[in-house]
Amino acid sequence: EMGWDDWEDQLVMVTNTIHACSSFGELRLQAALFPHEYSLLKNKSTLRWTIKVGDAHLVGDICHCLGIFGVTPPSSSPSSSPSSRPIQMLLKEGQDFLLGLQNKDGSWPVRDETLGAYDLFLATSSAVGGLLNIRPQGWGPASASLAVILRRVNTAAEEEEEEGEEEREKEGGREGRKRKKLAPPSVT
């Protein structure tokens, strides 16, 4: 199992990728172009782990990225499909955590009190981003050539996974090379 530091680095890489490809929420992204990243972000253990360690920066980034993918907090409107309810509730859980964690001066705390002013700014700006109701101005990624590359990478990854499954079946179900999933350390 991956340790916290490695997993945190992976999560930061995912959220930074989503932010860059969407011009920080200016553009909506399709989950189909980022299947592994979206899977990590919508995994309830991902959010709950970052809540457990009290990380306003990561919780805010997760919520903001979910918004970039079009996830909105639950509403009573009939347009909300029942299948989207669990991820909407997850977003609400993250936003409720952020609202409850906010300091009286309007900032958000950092996990490590030895960190400086920049880290306080980063935690606060990420938390605010996680509370935003994103109104994108179009569809991303920001670069059309990146969309082409992402489609090719995803197609190649799917083909590789299918080939791996076929090989394992031929070998009588022996465990073959499997693609590692992005997953948080288990929450206890």
Side-chain angles (χ1 to χ4, degrees):
E1 185 173 281
M2 186 180 299
W4 166 259
D5 289 337
D6 292 334
W7 181 79
E8 180 184 29
D9 288 345
Q10 211 174 45
L11 182 58
V12 168
M13 179 190 68
V14 165
T15 58
N16 286 342
T17 299
I18 299 307
H19 284 136
C21 290
S22 70
S23 294
F24 287 85
E26 185 178 326
L27 303 170
R28 170 109 42 233
L29 296 178
Q30 296 174 353
L33 289 176
F34 302 89
H36 299 288
E37 293 82 358
Y38 184 65
S39 178
L40 176 67
L41 294 168
K42 72 175 190 163
N43 181 328
K44 66 182 175 184
S45 294
T46 299
L47 183 69
R48 289 187 179 150
W49 184 264
T50 56
I51 287 173
K52 181 180 179 182
V53 297
D55 197 319
H57 169 209
L58 287 177
V59 172
D61 279 352
I62 291 167
C63 292
H64 188 241
C65 287
L66 288 173
I68 290 168
F69 284 114
V71 178
T72 57
S75 68
S76 56
S77 78
S79 65
S80 210
S81 78
S83 64
S84 64
R85 186 114 174 107
I87 193 163
Q88 289 177 322
M89 292 305 295
L90 188 65
L91 177 61
K92 182 179 181 335
E93 183 179 339
Q95 290 176 333
D96 288 348
F97 168 78
L98 291 171
L99 290 171
L101 191 64
Q102 188 176 18
N103 293 323
K104 291 192 184 305
D105 68 0
S107 69
W108 272 264
V110 292
R111 235 184 30 243
D112 182 348
E113 293 178 13
T114 64
L115 298 174
Y118 175 75
D119 297 291
L120 181 63
F121 163 77
L122 190 58
T124 299
S125 65
S126 294
V128 169
L131 294 170
L132 291 176
N133 184 8
I134 296 175
R135 304 234 186 258
Q137 303 302 308
W139 287 91
S143 161
S145 59
L146 180 59
V148 171
I149 292 168
L150 288 168
R151 285 186 184 98
R152 286 183 187 157
V153 166
N154 290 330
T155 300
E158 288 170 7
E159 289 171 358
E160 184 180 308
E161 286 177 14
E162 288 172 8
E163 288 172 7
E165 287 174 17
E166 289 172 9
E167 284 180 32
R168 285 190 293 280
E169 286 175 12
K170 286 179 187 175
E171 295 174 0
R174 275 191 310 156
E175 194 62 32
R177 191 180 93 196
K178 278 191 171 178
R179 185 179 190 142
K180 279 195 158 193
K181 297 273 188 208
L182 303 177
S186 46
V187 178
T188 54

